[in-house]
Amino acid sequence: MMSIKVYNTLSRQKELFQPIEESKVKMYVCGPTVYNYIHIGNARPAIIFDMVRRYLEFRGYDVTYVSNFTDVDDKLIKAAKELGEDVPTIAERFIKAYFDDVAALGVRCADVHPRVTETMVEIIDFIKGLVDKGFAYEVNGDVYFSTRKFKGYGKLSQQSIDDLQSGARIEVEQQKVDPLDFVLWKAAKPGEISWASPWGEGRPGWHIECSAMVKKYLGDTIDIHAGGQDLSFPHHENEIAQSEAMTGKPMANYWLHNGYINIDNEKMSKSLGNFILVHDIIKKYEPEIIRFFMLMAHYRSPINFSDELLNSAKSSFDRLKTAVRNLQYRLEESANLGENENDWIGKINVEKEKFIKEMDDDFNSANAIATLFDLAKKANLYLREDHSSKKVLEYFLKTFEELSGVLGFDLSSAKELLDEEIDKLIEQRNEARKNKDFALADKIRDDLKNMNIILEDTPQGVRWKRE
């Protein structure tokens, strides 16, 4: 347990992971604002930190995982006006859609999914506490956090408050004492959804909800706070200011942030119209391929999203599935033979240890996936031996299941699809030869050979058999 290292955004370096309470981890991940279907930028942190949670559990930790829904804010109010519906109806619809989309991507539900509308008492009490401590002030029904009164402001983004001041926008609310002050409570406008508070009818600002939820469900200080890189400033910076001003304690010991997603080498942006909804993309690609693609890069690295790269990821994932299918097929006809069993089990364990070493190094799923391919190569070598042992085959399959499960994949369910996929590949090869694309035809033949499938040209057409 003591060998895991994580990159902490707060310190800008890898640190040995040491939870507050031995063998237990308290983890909070910022969730979506539910005014529309989520896009792949939202999907990346959902997949990444689901993987982190799974790995921590694999290493023996008891993880309490909390991820919120922002179910009331400016975007929801705008959507409600445009659609002629109320905010709760829209939020409920897209919360359900979120669960459907991320479940397809293999993301497990959090232990708690708090909503802003269900945490209003705690949010108001939190703001009252900040006002009482002199860290917040009220103007005309709005409440603001007094940023300069929190001495550590800027430590997560490593910016000085004077630099932030010089870069502040000119078009700030005139009633704020300082341009850097941010809103904790917004006075309601006519017709808006609102709640009663000591400052009048209104609703929370964006940042305060997470501070209140973390405190309610996980305590004053948690082990891991995570989210997309775009949240590090100002959202997470403001969370730190609020929470630490209130409690006098660190909000989180480790801050983890995943990298951005580009679309065809351009930054994903709604203004550019190049954002992709998960609701749409999972109709075009198998969801497990999207998850696999996301984990083929280190979580802190930016990734480029394109059809070409997704198709390449599918080909790679199919190689792993085929290795598992071939093991399953051989298992059905194998006897218990003791020859070389311990040697092969030792070779499997070497790959398992490599997998753990890579994941211990800041959850490096990219290198961990590489060890799965090394395991597949060993499986293919074993299947070429004259004799096979059920014990070894079962251990290969168990190891694939265990390690792929850590990453959230299911490699064991596709055995019945093997014949169908081989026939499809042969059709593609025939079409390539017809079009005189001999390079593609040869590649397909080589790919099939690597899967232990041999093609035979007969007068009746191409046939195949397992080697």
Side-chain angles (χ1 to χ4, degrees), residues 324-342:
V324 171
R325 291 176 197 142
N326 288 338
L327 290 166
Q328 292 169 329
Y329 180 81
R330 181 67 66 84
L331 183 62
E332 294 176 0
E333 58 183 28
S334 291
N336 273 316
L337 302 174
E339 186 177 355
N340 296 330
E341 281 183 345
N342 291 336

Side-chain angles (χ1 to χ4, degrees), residues 204-304:
W206 176 34
H207 313 297
I208 192 64
E209 66 184 80
C210 290
S211 288
M213 291 170 179
V214 167
K215 191 175 191 318
K216 177 179 180 179
Y217 293 101
L218 297 173
D220 292 344
T221 303
I222 66 173
D223 296 297
I224 295 174
H225 196 314
Q229 185 179 338
D230 58 311
L231 297 181
S232 61
F233 185 86
H235 184 54
H236 289 166
E237 193 78 69
N238 291 351
E239 280 189 59
I240 289 174
Q242 296 162 164
S243 294
E244 297 186 5
M246 172 65 82
T247 68
K249 303 172 185 177
M251 184 184 188
N253 289 335
Y254 303 92
W255 289 84
L256 277 62
H257 294 94
N258 63 271
Y260 291 111
I261 290 182
N262 296 324
I263 306 294
D264 292 325
N265 295 311
E266 283 192 302
K267 184 177 179 181
M268 187 175 69
S269 168
K270 289 189 176 180
S271 62
L272 295 175
N274 67 344
F275 66 97
I276 300 172
L277 299 178
V278 174
H279 184 73
D280 295 328
I281 196 71
I282 60 177
K283 296 175 184 176
K284 185 176 181 181
Y285 294 96
E286 294 176 34
E288 64 183 0
I289 300 302
I290 298 170
R291 184 182 181 104
F292 181 73
F293 170 77
M294 292 280 194
L295 296 180
M296 286 180 71
H298 190 281
Y299 77 90
R300 287 190 285 112
S301 301
I303 57 174
N304 190 42

Side-chain angles (χ1 to χ4, degrees), residues 33-36 71-88 90-91 93-94 186 189-193 203 270:
T33 301
V34 285
Y35 69 102
N36 201 343
D71 62 343
V72 59
D73 84 332
D74 292 339
K75 293 176 182 176
L76 275 151
I77 291 171
K78 181 181 178 183
K81 289 179 180 177
E82 291 174 350
L83 298 173
E85 298 180 286
D86 59 32
V87 167
I90 292 172
R93 180 191 309 145
F94 289 115
K186 292 185 174 184
K189 297 176 182 177
E192 285 186 351
I193 186 171
R203 56 189 170 83
K270 289 189 176 180

Side-chain angles (χ1 to χ4, degrees), residues 28 66-70 112-116 118-119 213 217:
Y28 184 92
V66 178
S67 186
N68 71 306
F69 290 119
T70 300
V112 185
H113 281 285
R115 306 184 187 191
V116 176
E118 296 173 351
T119 320
M213 291 170 179
Y217 293 101

Side-chain angles (χ1 to χ4, degrees), residues 4 23 62 125 227-228 262 278-279 334 381 450 452:
I4 297 175
S23 301
D62 178 12
D125 286 346
N262 296 324
V278 174
H279 184 73
S334 291
L381 285 173
N450 290 334
N452 299 315

Side-chain angles (χ1 to χ4, degrees), residues 5 25-26 79 84 87 112 159 167 236 259 340 342 355 377 399:
K5 289 186 177 181
V25 176
K26 293 184 288 186
V87 167
V112 185
Q159 303 177 81
H236 289 166
N340 296 330
N342 291 336
F355 180 96
K377 289 178 184 177
T399 304

